Amino acid sequence: MAKHILIFGPPGAGKGTFSSRIMEIVPEFKHISTGDIFRENLKNETLLGKKAKEYMEAGELVPDSLTNELVKDKLSKIEKQSWILDGYPRNMNQVEFLDENADVDSFLLLDVPRDIIKKRILGRFSCLECGEIYNKYTLQPKKQIGENKWICDQCGAEIEFQQRSDDSEETLEKRLDVYEKNAKPIIEHYRKKGKLKKVDAQNTLELTEDEIKDILEV
Ligand code: AMP
């Protein structure tokens, strides 16, 4: 049976890293990250990217009119498969839109104390070739070749520490504010539906295969 999982948590909770871990263990899962889609569009200077740019750079949410249709379109292509949706829904309008357009099995809340978030976010970077995610402070690639340079563990490409353009300290504060303002009713919505599961996001990298399968109920 196809499983539909939402991954929710503040910026820096490790939603992307946790999703990658899930897919290593259960490769049938398709991963959709609205943040990744927007970043890709920004990089390729598409129309969507141009529309999303000012919001992303300010640490604000891209308008629902753009985001909802994008998610609907992506989900319609993988309707019958298992998927993980990461970074969506982010407000109650998106929650309602998703309720109308998809069945959700679990809402995984990645919990992280606020003081750890900053270190995680300000240190993170990814491989431009394969997208593998690293952290300058907590999760470096194994082979270092310069002060801020490494070889990607996954694909062997040379990578340099480069902060995401929306990961500056100022934008981060704004994004955390946006998260905190919106999170409560969303979490409450899925709690009432009996879908809420809390995951201690400080040690998601140490979770065993069985523990992850348990969380996913697969
Ligand atoms: P993320 O990587 O999930 O933190 O997303 C990076 C940025 O993309 C956010 O700060 C927003 O500007 C935008 N974004 C991602 N997901 C959404 C969403 N569900 N609704 C609106 N904007 C989003």
Side-chain angles (χ1 to χ4, degrees):
M1 254 273 278
K3 286 263 174 202
H4 298 161
I5 311 275
L6 304 180
I7 305 239
F8 189 82
K15 300 187 287 289
T17 312
F18 189 52
S19 302
S20 303
R21 181 101 172 83
I22 291 177
M23 286 183 317
E24 255 171 49
I25 293 169
V26 197
E28 304 88 87
F29 274 101
K30 300 282 165 218
H31 178 226
I32 300 173
S33 153
T34 46
D36 284 353
I37 296 171
F38 283 131
R39 272 185 292 281
E40 186 70 24
N41 278 276
L42 203 69
K43 197 174 100 195
N44 296 331
E45 299 181 351
T46 65
L47 187 60
L48 177 65
K50 285 183 184 142
K51 287 182 184 164
K53 188 172 193 253
E54 60 173 304
Y55 301 98
M56 293 178 75
E57 286 180 349
E60 284 165 10
L61 293 183
V62 175
D64 295 336
S65 53
L66 294 175
T67 313
N68 286 343
E69 287 307 319
L70 174 81
V71 169
K72 187 175 172 185
D73 176 57
K74 294 279 170 194
L75 291 183
S76 72
K77 294 184 178 136
I78 51 171
E79 219 168 3
K80 303 226 160 58
Q81 301 178 56
S82 291
W83 48 250
I84 310 166
L85 188 51
D86 153 4
Y88 185 99
R90 292 273 249 272
N91 60 32
M92 285 311 285
N93 181 314
Q94 295 182 5
V95 167
E96 281 155 26
F97 187 83
L98 189 63
D99 273 351
E100 284 160 19
N101 288 286
D103 289 322
V104 167
D105 294 295
S106 302
F107 175 90
L108 304 187
L109 172 63
L110 301 198
D111 248 351
V112 183
R114 200 176 164 125
D115 57 327
I116 296 186
I117 290 178
K118 249 180 149 164
K119 206 172 185 183
R120 279 192 172 180
I121 289 210
L122 298 176
R124 74 182 173 187
F125 62 106
S126 58
C127 173
L128 294 178
E129 288 298 320
C130 72
E132 188 69 7
I133 303 167
Y134 297 103
N135 189 292
K136 194 177 160 167
Y137 307 109
T138 59
L139 183 66
Q140 293 187 0
K142 290 191 189 76
K143 190 166 174 204
Q144 186 158 18
I145 52 168
E147 196 192 338
N148 270 324
K149 280 191 182 162
W150 293 266
I151 297 293
C152 177
D153 295 340
Q154 282 298 322
C155 74
E158 201 173 288
I159 34 177
E160 194 164 356
F161 171 68
Q162 214 176 19
Q163 215 159 48
R164 252 168 56 173
S165 63
D166 61 346
D167 274 354
S168 72
E169 202 154 346
E170 189 191 343
T171 316
L172 171 59
E173 297 292 347
K174 174 75 191 172
R175 289 165 69 213
L176 286 169
D177 290 347
V178 170
Y179 172 78
E180 275 170 15
K181 178 170 151 264
N182 290 323
K184 260 197 186 145
I186 301 177
I187 296 169
E188 192 49 24
H189 177 84
Y190 290 103
R191 193 191 61 74
K192 276 196 197 134
K193 287 179 156 233
K195 314 267 182 195
L196 171 66
K197 263 191 213 168
K198 287 191 186 174
V199 178
D200 175 1
Q202 282 193 78
N203 68 0
T204 46
L205 288 174
E206 279 109 60
L207 288 173
T208 64
E209 196 169 320
D210 285 345
E211 285 167 333
I212 290 190
K213 285 184 171 167
D214 245 20
I215 294 172
L216 300 174
E217 293 177 28
V218 292

